[in-house]
Amino acid sequence: AIRRSVRIVNSPTARHQRSRRARATTLMAAATTTGKLELVIGNRTYSSWSLRGYLLLAEAQGLEFSTKRIPLFTKAWDTTIGAHSPARRVPVLHDGALTVWDTAAMAEHLIERFGERAVGYPHDAAARALARSISMEMHSGFLAIREELPFNVRRANEPPAQPLSATCEAQVRRTQAIWAECYDKFGGPFLFGAKFGVADAMYAPVALRFVTYGIPVDAAAQKFVDAVCGLESVKEWKAAALEEDEHIDFIDTTAPIENEPITLG
Protein backbone atom coordinates (compact mmCIF):
# COMPACT_ATOMS: atom_id res chain seq x y z
CA ALA A 1 0.00 0.00 0.00
CA ILE A 2 2.84 2.33 0.76
CA ARG A 3 4.54 1.63 -2.55
CA ARG A 4 1.26 2.19 -4.38
CA SER A 5 0.89 5.56 -2.65
CA VAL A 6 4.41 6.56 -3.68
CA ARG A 7 3.74 5.61 -7.30
CA ILE A 8 0.59 7.74 -7.37
CA VAL A 9 2.28 10.77 -5.87
CA ASN A 10 5.14 10.53 -8.35
CA SER A 11 3.01 9.68 -11.37
CA PRO A 12 3.26 11.86 -14.50
CA THR A 13 -0.26 13.14 -13.85
CA ALA A 14 0.57 14.20 -10.31
CA ARG A 15 3.83 15.82 -11.41
CA HIS A 16 1.98 17.65 -14.19
CA GLN A 17 -0.62 18.94 -11.75
CA ARG A 18 2.07 20.15 -9.35
CA SER A 19 3.88 21.82 -12.24
CA ARG A 20 0.71 23.61 -13.33
CA ARG A 21 0.05 24.83 -9.79
CA ALA A 22 3.62 26.04 -9.44
CA ARG A 23 3.47 27.83 -12.79
CA ALA A 24 0.21 29.55 -11.86
CA THR A 25 1.67 30.58 -8.49
CA THR A 26 4.71 32.03 -10.25
CA LEU A 27 2.54 33.99 -12.67
CA MET A 28 0.44 35.41 -9.88
CA ALA A 29 3.47 36.33 -7.78
CA ALA A 30 5.23 38.08 -10.64
CA ALA A 31 2.15 40.05 -11.63
CA THR A 32 1.27 40.96 -8.04
CA THR A 33 4.79 42.19 -7.37
CA THR A 34 4.84 44.85 -10.07
CA GLY A 35 1.21 45.34 -10.83
CA LYS A 36 -0.37 46.67 -13.98
CA LEU A 37 -1.34 45.48 -17.43
CA GLU A 38 -0.11 47.57 -20.34
CA LEU A 39 -0.87 46.77 -23.98
CA VAL A 40 1.49 48.13 -26.62
CA ILE A 41 -0.29 48.66 -29.93
CA GLY A 42 0.29 50.18 -33.35
CA ASN A 43 -2.09 52.44 -35.23
CA ARG A 44 -5.69 51.58 -34.41
CA THR A 45 -6.58 52.34 -38.02
CA TYR A 46 -4.25 49.78 -39.56
CA SER A 47 -3.12 47.20 -37.00
CA SER A 48 -5.48 44.25 -36.87
CA TRP A 49 -3.31 42.26 -34.47
CA SER A 50 -3.36 45.22 -32.09
CA LEU A 51 -7.15 45.07 -32.15
CA ARG A 52 -7.09 41.36 -31.35
CA GLY A 53 -4.91 42.00 -28.32
CA TYR A 54 -7.12 44.87 -27.24
CA LEU A 55 -10.27 42.73 -27.45
CA LEU A 56 -8.69 40.05 -25.27
CA LEU A 57 -8.41 42.68 -22.54
CA ALA A 58 -11.42 44.90 -23.18
CA GLU A 59 -13.87 41.98 -23.39
CA ALA A 60 -12.52 40.29 -20.27
CA GLN A 61 -14.37 40.71 -17.00
CA GLY A 62 -13.16 43.70 -15.05
CA LEU A 63 -9.53 43.86 -16.15
CA GLU A 64 -7.90 47.26 -15.83
CA PHE A 65 -5.22 48.04 -18.38
CA SER A 66 -3.58 50.90 -20.20
CA THR A 67 -2.49 51.18 -23.82
CA LYS A 68 0.70 52.57 -25.30
CA ARG A 69 0.43 53.43 -28.99
CA ILE A 70 3.49 53.43 -31.23
CA PRO A 71 2.59 54.49 -34.81
CA LEU A 72 3.91 52.14 -37.48
CA PHE A 73 6.57 53.28 -39.96
CA THR A 74 7.67 56.22 -37.82
CA LYS A 75 10.89 57.18 -36.07
CA ALA A 76 9.18 56.42 -32.76
CA TRP A 77 8.50 52.88 -33.99
CA ASP A 78 12.07 52.34 -35.19
CA THR A 79 13.61 53.55 -31.95
CA THR A 80 11.24 52.12 -29.31
CA ILE A 81 9.53 48.93 -30.46
CA GLY A 82 12.62 46.81 -29.80
CA ALA A 83 12.47 47.75 -26.13
CA HIS A 84 9.02 46.17 -25.91
CA SER A 85 9.40 43.08 -28.08
CA PRO A 86 12.36 41.24 -29.60
CA ALA A 87 10.03 40.31 -32.46
CA ARG A 88 9.50 44.04 -33.18
CA ARG A 89 5.80 43.53 -33.73
CA VAL A 90 2.59 44.46 -31.96
CA PRO A 91 0.68 43.79 -29.83
CA VAL A 92 2.83 43.33 -26.75
CA LEU A 93 1.43 42.77 -23.27
CA HIS A 94 3.34 43.93 -20.20
CA ASP A 95 1.99 42.18 -17.12
CA GLY A 96 4.05 43.60 -14.32
CA ALA A 97 7.55 42.21 -14.80
CA LEU A 98 6.36 39.80 -17.49
CA THR A 99 6.32 40.55 -21.21
CA VAL A 100 4.19 38.52 -23.62
CA TRP A 101 4.15 39.06 -27.38
CA ASP A 102 2.09 37.34 -30.05
CA THR A 103 -1.69 37.40 -29.65
CA ALA A 104 -2.09 33.64 -29.21
CA ALA A 105 0.47 33.69 -26.40
CA MET A 106 -1.34 36.63 -24.83
CA ALA A 107 -4.63 34.72 -24.88
CA GLU A 108 -3.06 31.72 -23.14
CA HIS A 109 -1.31 33.93 -20.59
CA LEU A 110 -4.48 35.81 -19.68
CA ILE A 111 -6.43 32.56 -19.29
CA GLU A 112 -3.76 31.20 -16.95
CA ARG A 113 -3.58 34.48 -15.06
CA PHE A 114 -7.26 35.37 -14.70
CA GLY A 115 -9.18 32.15 -15.27
CA GLU A 116 -12.89 32.65 -15.88
CA ARG A 117 -12.47 36.42 -16.05
CA ALA A 118 -10.35 36.12 -19.19
CA VAL A 119 -11.57 35.86 -22.76
CA GLY A 120 -11.24 32.14 -23.25
CA TYR A 121 -12.48 28.95 -24.86
CA PRO A 122 -15.71 26.94 -24.35
CA HIS A 123 -15.85 24.45 -21.48
CA ASP A 124 -17.24 21.63 -23.63
CA ALA A 125 -14.36 19.55 -25.00
CA ALA A 126 -15.68 19.30 -28.56
CA ALA A 127 -16.53 23.00 -28.74
CA ARG A 128 -13.16 23.89 -27.23
CA ALA A 129 -11.33 21.78 -29.81
CA LEU A 130 -13.19 23.53 -32.62
CA ALA A 131 -12.60 26.98 -31.10
CA ARG A 132 -8.86 26.35 -30.74
CA SER A 133 -8.62 24.94 -34.25
CA ILE A 134 -10.33 27.82 -36.00
CA SER A 135 -8.49 30.36 -33.85
CA MET A 136 -5.12 28.94 -34.85
CA GLU A 137 -6.28 28.57 -38.46
CA MET A 138 -6.78 32.33 -38.42
CA HIS A 139 -3.53 32.91 -36.56
CA SER A 140 -1.45 31.07 -39.14
CA GLY A 141 -3.44 31.37 -42.34
CA PHE A 142 -5.68 33.50 -44.57
CA LEU A 143 -2.65 35.31 -45.97
CA ALA A 144 -4.42 36.37 -49.17
CA ILE A 145 -7.14 38.14 -47.17
CA ARG A 146 -4.47 39.94 -45.17
CA GLU A 147 -2.55 40.98 -48.27
CA GLU A 148 -5.42 41.92 -50.57
CA LEU A 149 -7.77 43.39 -47.96
CA PRO A 150 -5.47 45.33 -45.62
CA PHE A 151 -6.99 46.36 -42.31
CA ASN A 152 -8.29 49.94 -42.41
CA VAL A 153 -11.13 50.91 -40.07
CA ARG A 154 -11.30 54.51 -41.28
CA ARG A 155 -12.98 53.36 -44.49
CA ALA A 156 -16.24 51.57 -45.23
CA ASN A 157 -17.80 50.01 -48.32
CA GLU A 158 -14.90 50.93 -50.60
CA PRO A 159 -14.13 48.09 -53.01
CA PRO A 160 -10.46 47.07 -53.26
CA ALA A 161 -8.45 48.70 -56.01
CA GLN A 162 -7.79 45.37 -57.73
CA PRO A 163 -10.08 42.34 -58.21
CA LEU A 164 -9.55 39.68 -55.57
CA SER A 165 -7.45 36.69 -56.52
CA ALA A 166 -9.00 33.24 -56.66
CA THR A 167 -7.05 32.39 -53.50
CA CYS A 168 -8.47 35.36 -51.64
CA GLU A 169 -12.01 34.59 -52.78
CA ALA A 170 -11.59 31.01 -51.55
CA GLN A 171 -10.41 32.31 -48.17
CA VAL A 172 -13.41 34.64 -47.94
CA ARG A 173 -15.66 31.62 -48.56
CA ARG A 174 -13.77 29.57 -45.98
CA THR A 175 -14.18 32.32 -43.40
CA GLN A 176 -17.92 32.46 -43.97
CA ALA A 177 -18.15 28.66 -43.79
CA ILE A 178 -16.46 28.71 -40.38
CA TRP A 179 -18.83 31.34 -39.08
CA ALA A 180 -21.86 29.52 -40.48
CA GLU A 181 -20.79 26.25 -38.83
CA CYS A 182 -20.40 27.98 -35.48
CA TYR A 183 -23.76 29.73 -35.69
CA ASP A 184 -25.44 26.50 -36.70
CA LYS A 185 -23.94 24.63 -33.75
CA PHE A 186 -23.95 27.27 -31.03
CA GLY A 187 -26.62 29.80 -31.99
CA GLY A 188 -24.75 33.07 -31.52
CA PRO A 189 -24.57 35.96 -30.98
CA PHE A 190 -20.85 35.10 -30.95
CA LEU A 191 -19.16 32.15 -32.57
CA PHE A 192 -19.55 29.87 -29.57
CA GLY A 193 -22.69 31.26 -28.03
CA ALA A 194 -23.40 34.08 -25.65
CA LYS A 195 -19.85 34.68 -24.41
CA PHE A 196 -17.17 36.48 -26.43
CA GLY A 197 -14.16 34.19 -26.78
CA VAL A 198 -10.70 33.88 -28.24
CA ALA A 199 -12.12 32.78 -31.60
CA ASP A 200 -14.22 35.95 -31.77
CA ALA A 201 -11.14 38.07 -31.08
CA MET A 202 -9.24 36.28 -33.84
CA TYR A 203 -11.96 36.78 -36.46
CA ALA A 204 -13.22 40.25 -35.47
CA PRO A 205 -10.71 42.08 -37.70
CA VAL A 206 -11.79 39.95 -40.66
CA ALA A 207 -15.39 41.03 -40.10
CA LEU A 208 -14.22 44.66 -40.10
CA ARG A 209 -12.23 44.06 -43.30
CA PHE A 210 -15.42 42.90 -44.97
CA VAL A 211 -17.07 46.15 -43.86
CA THR A 212 -14.14 48.25 -45.12
CA TYR A 213 -14.22 46.77 -48.60
CA GLY A 214 -17.94 46.06 -48.90
CA ILE A 215 -17.37 42.31 -49.29
CA PRO A 216 -20.76 40.59 -49.76
CA VAL A 217 -21.45 37.99 -47.07
CA ASP A 218 -24.20 35.48 -46.48
CA ALA A 219 -26.79 35.74 -43.71
CA ALA A 220 -24.85 33.73 -41.11
CA ALA A 221 -21.67 35.71 -41.72
CA GLN A 222 -23.59 38.97 -41.48
CA LYS A 223 -24.69 37.97 -37.97
CA PHE A 224 -21.07 37.82 -36.90
CA VAL A 225 -20.22 41.09 -38.64
CA ASP A 226 -23.13 42.74 -36.81
CA ALA A 227 -22.09 41.23 -33.47
CA VAL A 228 -18.55 42.54 -33.86
CA CYS A 229 -19.62 46.00 -34.99
CA GLY A 230 -22.06 46.18 -32.07
CA LEU A 231 -19.38 45.72 -29.41
CA GLU A 232 -18.71 48.86 -27.38
CA SER A 233 -15.02 47.99 -27.39
CA VAL A 234 -14.98 47.97 -31.20
CA LYS A 235 -16.92 51.23 -31.37
CA GLU A 236 -14.40 52.83 -29.02
CA TRP A 237 -11.51 51.46 -31.07
CA LYS A 238 -12.95 52.85 -34.31
CA ALA A 239 -13.69 56.23 -32.72
CA ALA A 240 -10.08 56.47 -31.53
CA ALA A 241 -8.87 55.45 -35.01
CA LEU A 242 -10.74 58.38 -36.50
CA GLU A 243 -8.67 60.70 -34.30
CA GLU A 244 -5.38 59.39 -35.68
CA ASP A 245 -3.68 61.54 -38.30
CA GLU A 246 -1.17 59.07 -39.71
CA HIS A 247 -1.64 57.72 -43.23
CA ILE A 248 0.02 54.60 -44.62
CA ASP A 249 -0.25 54.94 -48.37
CA PHE A 250 0.26 51.31 -49.35
CA ILE A 251 -2.73 50.37 -47.18
CA ASP A 252 -4.88 53.33 -48.16
CA THR A 253 -4.38 52.31 -51.79
CA THR A 254 -4.68 48.57 -50.94
CA ALA A 255 -1.27 47.83 -52.43
CA PRO A 256 0.59 45.93 -49.70
CA ILE A 257 4.35 45.61 -49.56
CA GLU A 258 6.52 42.84 -48.15
CA ASN A 259 8.54 42.77 -44.93
CA GLU A 260 6.51 45.27 -42.98
CA PRO A 261 5.26 44.83 -39.41
CA ILE A 262 1.59 44.35 -40.19
CA THR A 263 1.60 42.04 -43.21
CA LEU A 264 0.61 39.14 -40.96
CA GLY A 265 -2.29 40.95 -39.38
Side-chain angles (χ1 to χ4, degrees):
I2 293 174
R3 284 196 295 271
R4 186 182 302 117
S5 176
V6 170
R7 285 200 298 271
I8 291 171
V9 169
N10 290 322
S11 69
T13 300
R15 290 196 299 271
H16 176 67
Q17 290 173 343
R18 289 197 299 272
S19 175
R20 288 188 62 186
R21 287 195 296 269
R23 186 168 63 251
T25 300
T26 301
L27 283 169
M28 290 298 293
T32 302
T33 299
T34 50
K36 297 181 180 179
L37 297 171
E38 180 187 59
L39 182 69
V40 181
I41 63 173
N43 309 61
R44 291 178 176 87
T45 301
Y46 302 114
S47 180
S48 61
W49 283 112
S50 293
L51 174 58
R52 290 181 175 100
Y54 177 80
L55 290 174
L56 291 175
L57 292 166
E59 291 300 318
Q61 297 177 25
L63 298 190
E64 294 186 3
F65 67 97
S66 61
T67 58
K68 179 180 180 64
R69 191 181 78 99
I70 308 176
L72 302 161
F73 303 107
T74 62
K75 184 177 180 180
W77 173 274
D78 292 337
T79 58
T80 63
I81 188 59
H84 295 283
S85 166
R88 300 185 65 83
R89 291 178 181 267
V90 285
V92 181
L93 176 66
H94 295 302
D95 182 1
L98 304 176
T99 299
V100 184
W101 61 95
D102 186 280
T103 310
M106 285 173 51
E108 296 299 323
H109 173 78
L110 291 169
I111 291 168
E112 281 189 317
R113 171 92 152 79
F114 296 105
E116 290 297 317
R117 295 171 62 194
V119 171
Y121 293 105
H123 290 293
D124 176 78
R128 187 166 63 251
L130 177 60
R132 281 179 168 151
S133 296
I134 66 170
S135 294
M136 295 307 106
E137 184 178 353
M138 179 69 254
H139 185 265
S140 61
F142 297 96
L143 299 184
I145 285 179
R146 302 179 192 191
E147 291 290 339
E148 297 179 38
L149 302 173
F151 191 70
N152 186 343
V153 297
R154 283 204 295 246
R155 294 187 172 187
N157 296 313
E158 296 188 18
Q162 302 294 328
L164 299 183
S165 67
T167 300
C168 187
E169 289 181 343
Q171 292 177 6
V172 169
R173 291 193 297 272
R174 171 59 183 153
T175 301
Q176 294 188 66
I178 290 171
W179 297 351
E181 178 184 4
C182 289
Y183 274 87
D184 182 60
K185 289 182 175 179
F186 305 105
F190 299 109
L191 294 178
F192 289 85
K195 189 174 182 180
F196 186 93
V198 173
D200 300 291
M202 286 293 180
Y203 283 92
V206 182
L208 296 178
R209 279 177 159 96
F210 291 172
V211 172
T212 295
Y213 299 103
I215 302 299
V217 296
D218 57 30
Q222 188 62 50
K223 290 180 182 179
F224 183 63
V225 172
D226 292 344
V228 169
C229 291
L231 289 169
E232 287 302 317
S233 55
V234 169
K235 293 177 182 178
E236 292 168 2
W237 181 274
K238 293 175 72 172
L242 292 174
E243 298 298 319
E244 295 178 338
D245 56 10
E246 299 91 4
H247 290 272
I248 300 178
D249 289 342
F250 75 83
I251 294 180
D252 288 337
T253 59
T254 64
I257 62 174
E258 295 180 354
N259 299 322
E260 45 81 17
I262 51 177
T263 296
L264 298 181

